[in-house]
């Protein structure tokens, strides 16, 4: 079960990484005009660097925020905590791109951007993080829903089996009335078998 879980998670990140790498390469005019292995390597490095923010963020949301959300009586506190984590991740994601990827991976000179452009790039980073986090959370919620439905079916089946066993364990009313009539007839006839019949009926009732 654990191996299957790691395979699913690994497959998710491989597909996500591949799609992002494809987009970065083929949406780049530089690569389209002059494709090269060097540019591909630089794109791979830049994508790996951004994953250092995305992977921790996704697992924080999946295994810290979501479980708390389902059980917390005060959901506003959990929501505020999630928003704070997302905003911190957005700033870190932007810093990695502008302070590491641009100057050291693509070797672009550092450019002072206007405030509005900085805000626009922060917003782009926020949307990028929301995208991967939303996809991962949707997949996890879908799996949780499937498990809940399967558990509900199992509980219904167990309940039906328990009811059947309970019904089987109940005394048949016809048997009880016939037994009482027999004992009544023996007592009226003052039969010596009456005490034994009462004792047998008592033992049967105790056993049931």
């Amino acid at each position: 079960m654990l191996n299957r879980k790691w395979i699913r998670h690994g497959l998710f990140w491989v597909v996500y990484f591949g799609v992002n790498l494809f987009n970065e390469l083929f949406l780049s005019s530089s690569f389209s005009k002059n494709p090269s292995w060097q540019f591909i390597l630089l794109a791979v490095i830049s994508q790996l660097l951004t994953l250092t923010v995305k992977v921790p963020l996704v697992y924080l949301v999946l295994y810290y925020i979501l479980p708390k959300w389902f059980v917390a009586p005060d959901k506003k506190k959990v929501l505020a905590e999630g928003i704070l984590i997302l905003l911190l991740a957005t700033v870190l994601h932007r810093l990695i791109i502008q302070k590491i990827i641009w100057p050291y991976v693509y070797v672009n000179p550092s450019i002072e951007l206007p405030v509005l452009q900085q805000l626009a790039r922060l917003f782009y980073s926020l949307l990028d993080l929301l995208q991967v986090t939303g996809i991962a959370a949707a997949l996890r919620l879908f799996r949780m829903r499937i498990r809940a439905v399967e558990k509900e079916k199992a509980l219904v089946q167990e309940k039906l089996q328990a009811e059947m066993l309970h019904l089987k364990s109940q005394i048949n009313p016809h048997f009880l009335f016939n037994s009482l009539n027999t004992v009544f007839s023996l007592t009226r006839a003052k039969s010596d078998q009456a005490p034994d019949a009462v004792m047998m009926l008592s033992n049967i009732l105790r056993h049931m």
Side-chain angles (χ1 to χ4, degrees), residues 181-198:
N181 286 332
T182 301
V183 173
F184 178 70
S185 300
L186 291 173
T187 54
R188 289 202 62 179
K190 300 188 184 315
S191 171
D192 294 337
Q193 296 178 351
D196 294 334
V198 172

Side-chain angles (χ1 to χ4, degrees), residues 6 18 82 105 178:
W6 282 109
V105 177
N178 289 338

Side-chain angles (χ1 to χ4, degrees), residues 45-79:
I45 293 172
S46 67
Q47 287 299 315
L48 289 174
L49 285 171
T50 58
L51 285 183
T52 60
V53 176
K54 294 177 181 179
V55 173
L57 173 64
V58 165
Y59 288 108
L60 272 173
V61 171
L62 295 187
Y63 295 102
Y64 178 70
I65 297 297
L66 280 182
K68 287 182 67 175
W69 175 267
F70 290 128
V71 299
D74 185 10
K75 297 190 184 300
K76 292 180 180 178
K77 183 179 179 181
V78 181
L79 180 62

Side-chain angles (χ1 to χ4, degrees), residues 93-113:
H93 181 263
R94 199 69 243 160
L95 287 174
I96 287 175
I97 292 175
Q98 293 184 200
K99 301 299 182 181
I100 298 177
I101 294 176
W102 286 357
Y104 297 106
V105 177
Y106 290 112
V107 196
N108 287 332
S110 180
I111 302 173
E112 287 295 329
L113 298 173

